[in-house]
């Protein structure tokens, strides 16, 4: 891709990200069939934790399916409702917690009654008009779902690197933890992005297997370009952003924490918080675009954005 095209593509993503700072977020969380009491309890507890986290967010629309309600028909009904209510400028987050299977061709997420395939999940998500979407599949064999779910404007995160990693996963536990732990907010802007949560959960998952002296049976990955080519955390954190992989994930806020969350819940400060996120995303966008810009122009625009950000922060601190 030529530098000019990269500049346009990156600019488009950051415009969408800025718009989403003032829009709503639609969260659908699904705890699938556990099969055993331990898994049933674990999946339900993780889903209920997310339900509590998401309901605390300003502008959030939350659906959480657990227990006997977790059927394909119920999921289709909820997704149809989201498709009717969501707008293009909104964000959409689908989280799947449970067991999955992959037969070499078709991935299925285990539900009460008939399972749902990755292709069926993708079709449901495609009907949601939100231009920015996040699908977090924490199930076993979830790597087998990535190709079917991938599309431009959608971040897909899977707990496993392929459909052949079939053991039960622990990634969901640490994904939930990431959305509650301020340590996950590595840039300290009080907004935990999908990228930050991914890196945190992936690291914690690796530490779990190491502490248990067990061979890791899951390796999380992400795809956010729509090309279906998933990457591991090492590619994200090392700056190897081929095709701008990781840029959408880095700008998609999953939750806000601390003062930022309080400000978003304060009508008097919500507009300022939207402006702050817009400026922060503009600064991130300039960093992505630096190689395609004249040095003087880059410095001028970056300085102006930083000065404006300081003014907005001062207003928020009053």
């Amino acid at each position: 891709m030529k530098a000019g095209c990269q500049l346009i593509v990156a600019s488009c993503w950051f415009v969408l990200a800025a718009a989403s700072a003032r829009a709503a977020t639609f969260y659908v969380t699904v705890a699938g069939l556990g099969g055993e009491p331990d898994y049933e309890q674990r999946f339900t507890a993780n889903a209920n934790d997310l339900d509590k986290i998401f309901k605390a967010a300003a502008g959030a629309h939350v659906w959480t399916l657990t227990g006997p309600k977790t059927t394909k028909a119920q999921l289709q009904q909820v997704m149809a409702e989201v498709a009717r209510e969501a707008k293009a400028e909104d964000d959409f987050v689908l989280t799947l917690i449970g067991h999955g299977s992959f037969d070499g061709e078709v991935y299925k997420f285990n539900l009460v009654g008939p399972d749902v395939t990755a292709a069926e999940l993708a079709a449901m998500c495609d009907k949601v008009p939100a231009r920015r979407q996040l699908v977090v599949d924490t199930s076993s064999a979830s790597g087998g779902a990535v190709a079917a779910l991938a599309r431009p404007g959608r971040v897909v995160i899977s707990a496993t690197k392929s459909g052949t990693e079939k053991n039960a996963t622990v990634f969901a536990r640490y994904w939930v933890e990431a959305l509650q732990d301020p340590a996950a907010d590595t840039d300290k802007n009080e907004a935990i992005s999908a990228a930050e949560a991914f890196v945190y959960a992936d690291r914690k998952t690796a530490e779990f297997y190491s502490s248990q002296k067990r061979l890791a049976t899951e390796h999380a990955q992400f795809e956010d370009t729509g090309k279906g080519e998933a990457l591991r955390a090492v590619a994200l954190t090392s700056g190897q952003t081929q095709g701008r992989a990781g840029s959408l994930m880095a700008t998609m806020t999953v939750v806000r924490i601390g003062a930022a969350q309080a400000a978003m819940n304060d009508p008097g400060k919500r507009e300022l918080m939207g402006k702050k996120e817009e400026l922060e995303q503009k600064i991130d966008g300039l960093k992505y675009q630096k190689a395609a810009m004249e040095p003087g122009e880059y410095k001028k625009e970056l300085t102006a954005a930083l000065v404006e950000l300081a003014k907005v922060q001062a207003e928020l601190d009053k």
Side-chain angles (χ1 to χ4, degrees), residues 70-109:
T70 316
T71 65
K72 183 195 287 192
Q74 186 63 27
L75 176 58
Q76 289 171 326
Q77 181 178 327
V78 166
M79 291 293 288
E81 189 173 348
V82 173
R84 288 193 298 270
E85 295 185 12
K87 299 179 177 60
E89 63 269 23
D90 295 328
D91 284 354
F92 170 65
V93 178
L94 171 64
T95 309
L96 305 173
I97 303 170
H99 295 307
S101 64
F102 184 69
D103 63 6
E105 294 184 4
V106 178
Y107 164 87
K108 294 181 179 180
F109 180 70

Side-chain angles (χ1 to χ4, degrees), residues 175-233:
W175 177 264
V176 174
E177 186 178 305
L179 302 183
Q180 302 174 87
D181 189 347
D185 179 25
T186 55
D187 61 8
K188 304 306 176 188
N189 69 345
E190 297 187 313
I192 298 175
S193 69
E196 289 172 322
F198 175 85
V199 170
Y200 179 102
D202 184 56
R203 174 174 56 82
K204 286 281 193 174
T205 298
E207 290 173 356
F208 166 81
Y209 284 100
S210 177
S211 68
Q212 297 292 311
K213 300 187 183 335
R214 291 166 50 187
L215 182 66
T217 55
E218 60 188 284
H219 302 83
Q221 60 180 8
F222 74 91
E223 203 290 330
D224 71 343
T225 64
K227 299 175 182 177
E229 300 169 358
L231 298 174
R232 290 275 295 129

Side-chain angles (χ1 to χ4, degrees), residues 100-110 115-119 140-145 162-166:
S101 64
F102 184 69
D103 63 6
E105 294 184 4
V106 178
Y107 164 87
K108 294 181 179 180
F109 180 70
N110 298 168
D115 295 334
V116 61
T117 68
S140 49
S142 51
S162 69
T164 59
E165 290 190 324
K166 297 183 177 181

Side-chain angles (χ1 to χ4, degrees), residues 30-41:
V30 185
L33 185 66
E36 299 175 15
D38 174 54
Y39 288 126
E40 293 284 354
Q41 183 178 6

